[in-house]
Amino acid sequence: MVGTLDEFRSQLIGGGARANQFRVEINNPPVGSVGLDTRNAAFLCTAAQLPGMAIAEIAVPFRGRSIYIAGDRTFETWTVTFYNDTNFAIRNAMERWNNSLNHLVTGQGVTNHDDYTADLKVSQLDRDDRLLKTYTFINAFPLSVSAIALTAGGSDSIEEFSVEFRYQHFVTDGVISDAPSGPF
């Protein structure tokens, strides 16, 4: 049975989480010379997302039918969009980080995983900027830095670009526990 509007409103705790209330923390990797101003990156981040994940299924055929069992967990990449300022501070830092993985000219790069990865965070905030939930992306590195479209008709907008990160897994401060207790 469908409830009343008042019942619905009472279930929407805090008025609902708002998509525009978030904070991103992009940290520098240990490898030298990336030089990202983390405070600048947090302010100029215009879009991000809370992470997605999936459990793969394994089909096991049995007498003309399949049963499905849980497989391995996979994590989606994490994409962050930034405004571009006139000194290209974030863009240059992301290009340097990406270049440290595979140099544009020499094709060489850092080989020690711990030297080119960093832990990154996205936090959901409430309407008073209080922390609701944080996801920490473990051992992240940039897979791609998007193109910036240039157009003669674009006089009323600020350039934006996206960085796609790969990470090993994430941890969160809330629902998902790091250590299982009991059968789940």
Side-chain angles (χ1 to χ4, degrees):
M1 170 183 233
V2 177
T4 67
L5 182 59
D6 287 336
E7 289 172 322
F8 171 75
R9 200 174 19 232
S10 73
Q11 296 300 310
L12 195 57
I13 308 299
R18 306 296 172 103
N20 66 336
Q21 298 295 125
F22 68 97
R23 177 177 56 230
V24 167
E25 296 174 45
I26 307 291
N27 298 312
N28 283 290
V31 69
S33 76
V34 169
L36 177 66
D37 178 347
T38 56
R39 187 167 190 264
N40 180 275
F43 274 108
L44 295 182
C45 178
T46 182
Q49 62 277 126
L50 301 179
M53 62 183 148
I55 300 287
E57 61 184 15
I58 301 170
V60 179
F62 179 75
R63 296 184 182 173
R65 302 221 176 195
S66 293
I67 62 167
Y68 295 91
I69 59 174
D72 293 335
R73 180 184 304 270
T74 58
F75 299 97
E76 298 174 5
T77 57
W78 186 55
T79 303
V80 182
T81 303
F82 297 100
Y83 288 123
N84 195 27
D85 56 5
T86 57
N87 66 3
F88 283 66
I90 299 169
R91 174 97 181 172
N92 288 340
M94 290 298 125
E95 288 177 352
R96 283 190 297 270
W97 192 351
N98 199 271
N99 201 39
S100 74
L101 301 172
N102 186 301
H103 195 275
L104 288 168
V105 176
T106 67
Q108 297 174 338
V110 178
T111 56
N112 183 355
H113 185 263
D114 291 339
D115 288 342
Y116 65 81
T117 62
D119 294 347
L120 314 178
K121 292 181 181 182
V122 61
S123 299
Q124 179 74 57
L125 307 173
D126 71 7
R127 291 167 58 183
D128 294 322
D129 282 340
R130 289 182 301 226
L131 191 65
L132 295 174
K133 186 173 183 72
T134 297
Y135 292 86
T136 302
F137 302 96
I138 306 299
N139 296 326
F141 61 93
L143 287 177
S144 64
V145 179
S146 74
I148 296 176
L150 305 175
T151 175
S155 64
D156 61 350
S157 61
I158 296 174
E159 291 177 354
E160 295 180 4
F161 67 96
S162 296
V163 180
E164 181 183 20
F165 291 95
R166 169 58 68 201
Y167 55 95
Q168 297 306 310
H169 65 280
F170 65 80
V171 294
T172 183
D173 62 358
V175 177
I176 301 172
S177 172
D178 292 334
S181 59
F184 296 104

